Amino acid sequence: MKDRPINRPSLDELVKGIDQSNRMMLSRAITIIESKLASDQELGAQLLDEIIPKTGKSIRIGITGVPGVGKSTFIEAFGTYLTTIGKKVTVLTIDPSSTMTKGSILGDKTRMNELSKNPNAFIRPSPSGSSLGGVAQKTRETILLCEAAGYDVIIVETVGVGQSETAVKGMVDFFLLLMLAGGGDELQGIKRGIMEMADALVINKAEGDNIKPSKTAKKDYQNALHLLPAHAGDWTVPVGLCSALEKTGIEEVWNTVMDYQKVTTENGYFQSNRQQQNLKWMHEVIKFQLEQSFYQDPKKKELVRNLEERVAAGELSVRHAVQKLFT
Ligand code: GDP
């Protein structure tokens, strides 16, 4: 491996480090997974092969909600609570803005100050990438690494604005939607499609004067949920209340996750959902690889350029042009 950066650990060191739950080694392994270098990609693939038998034992929780709803405050409280009951927690983020700009609105470590200092918590900001698909792919692999390193709750946070929810839904067991009282769905920018993905809704900031409106909102959301298609896992989507700031209702959220895991494990949905997610992931990677190898072929590139001109000039139909590329 000629182009391997000199400071890269060996496969053995990585496997051993992850096995020992060494955070520095886990971080370095994630960096390798995220890297575009060919040698890193090879090392990353070998590493994943080695650790795959040790994966899958965590519960993977997606958390979303519009900016300002209190996601990071909630994760700080929830994650800290989980560590007090003996869990090791990872917080990953998928930030759609990281694919557009270098900066990101979510992946800022300082947002979870207390948790980031907790020895039983591991926080990793969103990887940057040219596409949401690429970012999601790296996050899925990071989940596996964290599981192999012994983390039993994996939280994947994203912002409630659309596409990234679908990506996160496709990699977690349980999807939590944080909401606020007061202000209809439209006001909160939450689309019906995101509500349909949720396994639980929790209304945050339910404290003090806000308790009454929160209880009203809870009823409204319960009614709204009745109008949505039934959950595929034979699960009734609950609506809870919490205050991330005052740390109330946090344990109840965890109990809901545990109930969900029990119900859906018993009826088989939990396992079948993971299987479906894996198969879908595999096909996404196949498509990605096909696209890459197609556009990287210099002959095809040249031909595409030619055909583009003819299509633009109206000499050739798109269907005919594409046919020429595959014959
Ligand atoms: P995010 O953008 O969804 O990650 O939201 P943040 O966690 O950054 O919270 C946005 C603002 O809401 C911050 O000023 C928080 O202190 C505040 N906040 C978060 N949770 C609560 C809560 O339970 N009650 C109250 N009153 N404020 C909260």
Side-chain angles (χ1 to χ4, degrees):
M1 285 193 244
K2 297 196 290 298
D3 62 343
R4 181 201 285 191
I6 38 171
N7 61 347
R8 285 287 186 260
S10 69
L11 179 62
D12 266 6
E13 285 168 327
L14 287 165
V15 172
K16 205 176 276 170
I18 288 175
D19 211 35
Q20 293 166 346
S21 205
N22 177 319
R23 294 156 69 101
M24 196 194 59
M25 239 5 138
L26 175 61
S27 278
R28 296 181 78 182
I30 298 170
T31 304
I32 290 165
I33 294 290
E34 291 175 352
S35 161
K36 287 197 174 74
L37 281 178
S39 62
D40 281 342
Q41 288 184 0
E42 196 181 315
L43 182 60
Q46 287 169 348
L47 177 61
L48 287 167
D49 273 348
E50 290 285 327
I51 57 112
I52 209 88
K54 293 175 201 140
T55 63
K57 292 187 191 83
S58 78
I59 174 105
R60 306 163 182 167
I61 305 173
I63 296 183
T64 193
V66 294
V69 71
K71 290 180 295 300
S72 66
T73 314
F74 175 83
I75 293 170
E76 173 111 307
F78 186 60
T80 306
Y81 163 73
L82 291 174
T83 63
T84 66
I85 59 165
K87 304 284 179 198
K88 289 187 71 175
V89 183
T90 296
V91 182
L92 308 174
T93 51
I94 289 207
D95 181 349
S97 64
S98 69
T99 63
M100 295 177 246
T101 59
K102 288 281 174 206
S104 63
I105 37 173
L106 277 179
D108 176 1
K109 267 194 182 180
T110 57
R111 291 167 70 242
M112 289 162 223
N113 245 329
E114 198 188 323
L115 199 59
S116 61
K117 288 184 229 136
N118 189 315
N120 287 317
F122 178 80
I123 302 181
R124 180 85 181 188
S126 188
S128 58
S130 52
S131 69
L132 181 59
V135 169
Q137 153 86 353
K138 289 168 190 170
T139 306
R140 285 169 186 279
E141 291 178 345
T142 300
I143 291 177
L144 298 177
L145 292 175
C146 293
E147 287 179 345
Y151 287 86
D152 12 47
V153 184
I154 314 276
I155 295 171
V156 186
E157 179 194 10
T158 191
V159 67
V161 288
Q163 253 196 325
S164 59
E165 270 74 19
T166 315
V168 173
K169 173 77 179 169
M171 65 179 80
V172 297
D173 306 308
F174 184 90
F175 199 56
L176 176 69
L177 174 58
L178 287 181
M179 307 284 273
L180 293 174
D185 301 357
E186 264 154 34
L187 240 169
Q188 293 193 28
I190 289 291
K191 299 199 178 76
R192 182 191 147 105
I194 295 176
M195 259 180 80
E196 277 183 35
M197 285 184 216
D199 299 304
L201 260 60
V202 172
I203 299 164
N204 189 32
K205 309 196 187 182
E207 83 258 320
D209 290 348
N210 209 25
I211 289 189
K212 218 172 151 212
S214 301
K215 285 186 175 163
T216 310
K218 176 177 165 153
K219 285 209 187 87
D220 290 347
Y221 285 127
Q222 277 168 334
N223 290 336
L225 285 166
H226 281 138
L227 304 174
L228 298 180
H231 190 284
D234 234 353
W235 164 255
T236 309
V237 176
V239 184
L241 301 180
C242 80
S243 165
L245 203 64
E246 296 191 351
K247 302 183 172 51
T248 54
I250 303 297
E251 187 178 347
E252 285 78 357
V253 176
W254 177 241
N255 291 339
T256 300
V257 176
M258 291 289 87
D259 282 349
Y260 175 87
Q261 191 175 26
K262 186 169 181 289
V263 169
T264 57
T265 301
E266 277 168 11
N267 68 24
Y269 177 77
F270 192 88
Q271 301 85 329
S272 71
N273 184 44
R274 277 198 177 177
Q275 268 168 7
Q276 290 303 318
Q277 288 177 336
N278 262 340
L279 294 183
K280 212 168 155 212
W281 178 15
M282 186 175 117
H283 286 282
E284 272 168 30
V285 179
I286 291 174
K287 279 184 212 148
F288 182 74
Q289 294 283 358
L290 277 174
E291 198 178 307
Q292 288 254 311
S293 54
F294 178 86
Y295 284 107
Q296 275 165 7
D297 177 346
K299 276 196 204 128
K300 293 273 190 228
K301 244 188 201 167
E302 181 59 31
L303 192 54
V304 168
R305 222 169 287 134
N306 271 324
L307 290 168
E308 268 177 358
E309 279 171 25
R310 295 179 60 194
V311 169
E315 291 167 20
L316 201 63
S317 72
V318 168
R319 178 197 285 240
H320 195 173
V322 175
Q323 256 167 8
K324 278 179 176 294
L325 284 167
F326 291 95
T327 47

